[in-house]
Every structure is written in structure tokens, then in C-alpha cells.
Amino acid sequence: MSGTTATAGPVAGRLSFLDRFLAVWIVFAMAAGLGLGRLVPGLGDGLAKITVTDVSLPIALGLLVMMYPVLAKVRYDRLDTVTHDRRLLTLSLILNWIVGPALMFALAWVFLPDLPEYRTGLIIVGLARCIAMVIIWNDLACGDREAAADLVALNSVFQVIAFAALGWFYLNVLPGWLGLEQTALDVSVWEIARSVLIFLGIPLLAGFLTRRLGEKTKGRTWYETKLIPRIGPFALYGLLFTIVVLCALQGEAITSKPLDVVRIALPLLVYFAVMWAGSMAAGRAAGLGYPKATTLAFTAAGNNFELAIAVAIATFGATSGQALAGVVGPLIEVPVLIGLVYVALAARRFFLQPTPSAPPAVSTEGSARV
């Protein structure tokens, strides 16, 4: 639990039924989405057309439902303690905006030198830093919830400022310096800002207002013990719905090109493993403690796939190789980071645990907390 000493006992025994078998539900959701996309003619194209100002309505709905309960759990009155932690903020910015994009660029060229469309799609994924699902992984791994909210907000600001410039650098300038093939990326700052405002701004505002009004009218005890347990399971329902939609969108392409999917998956597997392990080690070396080191690791390893997919579709088309690489991204990220949640929980013994400064959060069925 965020900011508390780890309790004893096996991890699986302390997870709710929904959380304990989350990997199973995710496999079912991926299979269902791929099956629907393959077996139902035109389903992917139909889902792709359900948009509002070029934003996929089904994906947006799933992500908003997924993020709202977790952001409603954030103790916003504790955020000032996170913003004063310069070690955490500095490490996060370096890992997200220097190390992450550079690593994905290198892996894309090493693994996909002969497949420029997929390579470009992966580089775009590497430039789109986390703002959504990472909150779920951090919560499951007992990371620092307030730190996660702060880092996600910080990375969102940098995303608006830096995404287009970094896209130009990694797809055009740096390949030119290295004598490699160059690619143009035409994306406006408004497109990036719109993605951030929709996928982070709406659930963040909703979560903040829910806690503010709930505590004001009913008190903190009622809020933590009554309301949170009721809305908590919807985070995972939203996650599973989003996975079904994503798989359905590219179900035919994914199932008809299995070798291409494998080639896209290999650099992604290396990327997630290296970024997570390296960030976790950096956090431990910096003396952050388990909750903040875990938050650092998941926010550095996660990616803003909804932005990456939106940019790929807007620039290269819905059926392009770049869009396929963007969709494969979360299909690999989800099971890998679920696995890393368990690795993180097992690694708690290597961290000195701080003395609890507040009562632990109530563990409830489906609340996405250990």
C-alpha cells in the first residue's frame, strides 16, 4: 500500500478475486477482441469510424472508466510532498524524455531495419510517454499513488511541449545524421494537447471532484470504506473493455500477420524489461524507497498508446503498418507489465520500508490494491 510497510504473507492470498486472476481476464479479453475482429466482417472498420473530433469513442470510454476510480483514490492533499522530491522528479524526466525515446529508437532500428513502417510505429510509441494504464499497474504493485498522479501530470505537460519536436528529431534529424532512412511526422501541438486533456484531464478532474465533494459531504471514513470499494472494480472493467476494443480494431491484421506481430513484439519486450528494471534500480540507488521506486519504474516503462495510435492513424492511415505497430504496443505492454507487478511485489524485501505515517488504505474486493 502506498507509503506503508508491506504486510506479510503470499501476494496472491491478499489480492481480491478480480485482481488475483487479472492475467487470465486479460488473456480472455485479448482473445475475445481478436476473435471478434477476425470473425465479424467490418467490425474493426466500424469501430474505427465511431469517433468524436477524430478521437475513438470506444477507446476513450474504456480509458475514462479505467482511470477514474484510481484517480478518485488519490489523496490530493498529499501531492505537495511529491512535488518537493527533486530526486524523483529529475529521474522521471530523464528516464521518460531522454532514455526511453533513445532506447526505443535504437531497438526499432536493430530489430526492424527492413520494415520501415513498423519501425516508425515503434518509435512513435517510444515518444508517447505514459498517462493512462500506468496508474493501474502502479496501484496493483502498491506504488505511491500520489507520486503516480504527480508524475503522470508532469509527463503530460512535457508531452504537449516535446512530442512533436522529438518526433521530428528521431524520425528525421537523427536518422539523417546517422545516414539512415528519414521519415516525416506531421502532428500538431493541438492534437497532442487534445489527447492529454481527454485521456488525463477528464478523469483527473472527475476523481478530484469526487474526493473533494465526497469527503466534504460524508467524511473521509465513509469515502474510503464505502464509496471507493464500490467504484474500484470499474477500473479493471474499463481496462478489459479497452483491450477488447483495441484487439478488435486490428484483429484481422494481427491474426493474418503473426510473424510481423512477433517481430514487432520482440523490441517491445526488450524495451519494457530494460526500462522497468533500469528505473527500479535507479530508484533504489537514489534511496527513494519501494513505493516511489515502483512508481518511477512503471511510469518510465509505460507508454501513452492511445496517443501513439491516434498519431499513427492520423499521419499514415488506420490500416498502415505504423498503426498496427501502435496497436501491438499495448497488447504486449499489458501482459508484460502485469507480470512486472508481481515481480515488483516480490522485490519489496530488497527495499527498506518506511515507518507508516498514516493508517493503511482499506483492502476491498476489486479495489485494485494489495
Side-chain angles (χ1 to χ4, degrees):
M1 298 175 188
S2 180
T4 67
T5 304
T7 57
V11 170
R14 300 194 307 276
L15 287 170
S16 72
F17 175 79
L18 186 63
D19 297 341
R20 190 179 309 154
F21 297 101
L22 181 58
V24 177
W25 313 141
I26 286 174
V27 170
F28 279 137
M30 293 173 69
L34 291 173
L36 288 170
R38 182 74 178 182
L39 298 175
V40 181
L43 177 62
D45 292 337
L47 289 172
K49 293 177 181 178
I50 305 175
T51 61
V52 176
T53 62
D54 296 326
V55 175
S56 171
L57 194 57
I59 293 178
L61 177 63
L63 288 171
L64 294 178
V65 172
M66 178 184 73
M67 292 181 66
Y68 163 68
V70 181
L71 289 170
K73 297 176 188 176
V74 171
R75 287 284 302 275
Y76 293 94
D77 55 339
R78 294 180 181 171
L79 289 180
D80 60 334
T81 63
V82 179
T83 56
H84 291 127
D85 193 335
R86 294 187 179 181
R87 295 171 303 168
L88 177 64
L89 298 181
T90 301
L91 276 174
S92 180
L93 290 176
I94 292 173
L95 289 166
N96 273 287
W97 298 103
I98 298 177
V99 178
L103 176 62
M104 188 68 90
F105 173 85
L107 291 173
W109 274 100
V110 168
F111 282 89
L112 301 169
D114 58 328
L115 296 170
E117 289 190 358
Y118 298 154
R119 185 179 65 237
T120 299
L122 281 186
I123 292 172
I124 293 173
V125 170
L127 297 176
R129 309 313 299 168
C130 65
I131 68 169
M133 283 190 180
V134 68
I135 295 177
I136 295 287
W137 315 140
N138 178 75
D139 217 42
L140 286 169
C142 299
D144 188 310
R145 192 178 284 154
E146 288 68 43
D150 233 23
L151 293 185
V152 164
L154 178 67
N155 284 321
S156 298
V157 172
F158 268 79
Q159 197 150 243
V160 174
I161 298 171
F163 184 91
L166 286 175
W168 169 72
F169 177 76
Y170 279 105
L171 292 174
N172 191 276
V173 176
L174 185 56
W177 290 350
L178 300 175
L180 303 172
E181 183 180 346
Q182 298 168 286
T183 305
L185 181 64
D186 183 18
V187 57
S188 69
V189 172
W190 162 241
E191 289 177 288
I192 302 163
R194 181 181 61 188
S195 175
V196 171
L197 288 172
I198 292 173
F199 295 115
L200 176 63
I202 293 175
L204 183 61
L205 178 61
F208 172 79
L209 291 176
T210 299
R211 177 170 282 277
R212 185 72 178 269
L213 296 175
E215 290 188 351
K216 186 176 181 180
T217 57
K218 295 285 189 175
R220 178 162 294 174
T221 300
W222 174 87
Y223 186 87
E224 297 285 353
T225 61
K226 299 295 183 182
L227 182 61
I228 290 300
R230 291 179 182 175
I231 66 175
F234 286 94
L236 300 184
Y237 300 154
L239 170 63
L240 297 176
F241 174 79
T242 303
I243 292 171
V244 171
V245 173
L246 283 170
C247 290
L249 279 169
Q250 290 274 0
E252 185 174 354
I254 291 171
T255 54
S256 63
K257 301 177 180 178
L259 292 180
D260 287 2
V261 172
V262 170
R263 291 198 62 182
I264 296 169
L266 288 175
L268 285 168
L269 287 170
V270 176
Y271 173 84
F272 293 132
V274 171
M275 284 299 296
W276 187 89
S279 302
M280 197 74 164
R284 186 177 186 275
L288 292 180
Y290 174 81
K292 287 186 178 180
T294 298
T295 298
L296 178 70
F298 281 101
T299 51
N303 292 92
N304 183 357
F305 68 84
E306 60 273 13
L307 174 60
I309 294 171
V311 169
I313 290 175
T315 307
F316 304 103
T319 59
S320 64
Q322 292 89 341
L324 176 60
V327 171
V328 171
L331 301 188
I332 303 303
E333 177 180 340
V334 169
V336 169
L337 292 191
I338 278 291
L340 290 174
V341 166
Y342 287 90
V343 174
L345 292 170
R348 282 187 290 189
R349 64 181 182 273
F350 297 110
F351 288 82
L352 292 175
Q353 298 294 337
T355 302
S357 56
V362 176
S363 179
T364 56
E365 177 75 15
S367 62
R369 293 293 286 173
V370 175

